[in-house]
Amino acid sequence: MGKAEFFSILRESLEGYIPMEEVEQNIAFYQDYFKQSELSDQELIQELGDPRLIARTIIEAYRASKGPMADYYEQQARSEYSNGNAGERHAADGKSGHGAFSFEKVVFWIVVFLFVLLMLMVAFRVFRFLLFFALPILLIVFLVKILIDFFER
């Protein structure tokens, strides 16, 4: 593997997982490392190892630095990457669309809604009139929330 291939693999392995600004900073770091080293390119590549492993380490360090917001930032990076490239990139670890709208989320919220509704009906049997008046309103609010979440993605 040559220097150009090393950087190509490193870039491809980072894009879509961390923001492009971070990709560029890491590529620049390794380019400077190559320029400042007294070793040949081949010796440096052997010393550094597989660029995919380097990328995985960079991605994991980035995710760790973002803490609970890591999925949000990774989703932004994927969006940034897909908007900038015609092809769609799939995650090497098999994950895709963290935090995206999903059928499971809809089912979960429907079950929660129905459970709360049932508890209200049991707790307020005397106020069934209000409950049946409120039911259509709650249902509309719930559906609007689902649609807003769907179109924000």
Side-chain angles (χ1 to χ4, degrees):
M1 167 184 339
K3 181 178 173 181
E5 185 179 2
F6 176 88
F7 282 109
S8 175
I9 292 171
L10 181 60
R11 180 179 298 280
E12 287 174 8
S13 299
L14 289 172
E15 288 178 339
Y17 296 99
I18 61 175
M20 289 303 289
E21 180 181 317
E22 294 286 330
V23 172
E24 296 305 327
Q25 287 176 359
N26 281 285
I27 295 294
F29 171 82
Y30 282 99
Q31 286 174 338
D32 288 343
Y33 187 76
F34 271 78
K35 287 177 187 174
Q36 294 175 3
S37 177
E38 296 177 5
L39 299 174
S40 71
D41 290 348
Q42 282 298 10
E43 290 172 327
L44 273 175
I45 291 169
Q46 286 179 346
E47 178 183 296
L48 291 171
D50 188 351
R52 291 172 200 88
L53 181 58
I54 294 169
R56 190 83 260 159
T57 304
I58 292 168
I59 292 165
E60 292 303 318
Y62 180 80
R63 287 182 57 81
S65 74
K66 296 304 178 190
M69 295 296 293
D71 288 339
Y72 171 78
Y73 286 106
E74 185 173 343
Q75 184 180 2
Q76 277 191 326
R78 287 176 195 262
S79 175
E80 180 181 86
Y81 177 71
S82 65
N83 289 340
N85 294 291
E88 181 175 313
R89 177 167 171 76
H90 295 286
D93 58 2
K95 298 177 186 173
S96 64
H98 293 292
F101 179 79
S102 70
F103 180 73
E104 291 83 9
K105 284 184 180 179
V106 171
V107 170
F108 171 77
W109 284 111
I110 289 173
V111 168
V112 167
F113 175 78
L114 291 175
F115 178 77
V116 169
L117 185 63
L118 180 65
M119 291 296 105
L120 285 172
M121 286 175 59
V122 169
F124 300 108
R125 284 181 19 179
V126 177
F127 301 111
R128 282 192 180 165
F129 164 75
L130 292 176
L131 188 59
F132 287 112
F133 174 76
L135 176 62
I137 295 171
L138 290 173
L139 187 58
I140 290 169
V141 169
F142 181 71
L143 291 175
V144 168
K145 182 196 179 322
I146 288 175
L147 289 173
I148 289 171
D149 286 347
F150 177 76
F151 287 111
E152 283 181 349
R153 311 274 180 216

